[in-house]
Amino acid sequence: MDLRIQKTEKAIKNAFLELRAGKPLEKITVKELCGLALINKSTFYSHYDDIYALSEAMEQETIASIIGSIDHLKDYTTDNPDAFTRELCLAFMSQISLIKILFSGRELSHLGIRLDRALKEVIFRKYPEYENDLEKQILLSYSIQGTYYAYLSNPDADTDTFVRTIENIVKCLKPLL
């Protein structure tokens, strides 16, 4: 990618994060973002259709980053779901400052839904038989989204306690896999 395009993308995303940290997505205007990013509106529109498309792209990048940072993702099996859960929790927590900005307010549920979808894609590639098994899909959604909402409900929990507790829950669910 051209260096100028990379710099413009970075300026747009940094300006968006700065604005998003202080206000709801629906209150951010392209004009305001362009002023902060020091670009004109036509430049913004050559990259994104609107603020929502930018937000969507950044949410997708965050999900990809979380999943991409799970070491040896393809090596996890149903025999070690607690190890996978630990890695997922740590990957999620490594992106927490970005998550708190992008997925706040009305977008709060987006992360759980997107993580659920993205992780199922990975799991279904490894275990294609799960894709048509409604019980497995429900169990996976419960585990993925339950972890996310448990974190949101317990923001003061230290990392070790949170991850250990989630691992223990997943160990209890292991017979259902």
Side-chain angles (χ1 to χ4, degrees):
M1 187 185 304
D2 185 310
L3 186 58
R4 291 172 297 166
I5 294 172
Q6 288 177 355
K7 286 181 178 182
T8 301
E9 279 284 325
K10 186 174 183 172
I12 290 170
K13 289 176 180 178
N14 287 341
F16 177 76
L17 288 173
E18 187 175 328
L19 292 169
R20 186 69 180 88
K23 60 172 71 175
L25 179 61
E26 59 274 4
K27 299 283 185 185
I28 299 172
T29 66
V30 171
K31 180 179 179 181
E32 178 182 36
L33 185 139
C34 290
L36 190 58
L38 303 175
I39 61 169
N40 60 46
K41 287 171 72 172
S42 64
T43 301
F44 174 85
Y45 286 116
S46 70
H47 290 261
Y48 300 99
D49 291 338
D50 56 25
I51 290 291
Y52 297 98
L54 169 59
S55 182
E56 168 89 15
M58 291 187 71
E59 289 176 10
Q60 288 292 83
E61 288 173 14
T62 303
I63 298 299
S65 178
I66 290 169
I67 292 173
S69 68
I70 299 173
D71 289 332
H72 312 292
L73 182 61
K74 65 183 181 321
D75 298 335
Y76 291 105
T77 68
T78 55
D79 294 332
N80 61 355
D82 50 321
F84 172 76
T85 301
R86 168 174 279 284
E87 290 296 321
L88 175 60
C89 286
L90 294 173
F92 170 79
M93 292 172 137
S94 73
Q95 299 284 327
I96 200 63
S97 58
L98 184 58
I99 287 168
K100 285 181 177 181
I101 293 170
L102 288 176
F103 297 96
S104 64
R106 292 183 180 175
E107 286 73 40
L108 189 63
S109 65
H110 289 189
L111 181 60
I113 293 166
R114 288 174 188 242
L115 269 176
D116 184 77
R117 193 177 313 132
L119 285 169
K120 281 181 179 176
E121 283 179 21
V122 171
I123 292 166
F124 294 159
R125 277 195 297 267
K126 186 162 188 164
Y127 298 100
E129 66 276 14
Y130 284 14
E131 192 165 7
N132 296 315
D133 186 331
L134 189 55
E135 288 182 14
K136 296 284 192 261
Q137 288 196 32
I138 292 168
L139 179 62
L140 288 169
S141 291
Y142 180 83
S143 299
I144 295 163
Q145 293 196 40
T147 298
Y148 173 60
Y149 286 103
Y151 181 79
L152 290 178
S153 298
N154 301 282
D156 297 330
D158 66 276
T159 302
D160 288 335
T161 301
F162 181 79
V163 172
R164 188 176 58 254
T165 303
I166 297 300
E167 279 180 315
N168 288 334
I169 292 168
V170 170
K171 284 179 188 176
C172 292
L173 294 174
K174 183 179 173 185
L176 298 174
L177 292 174

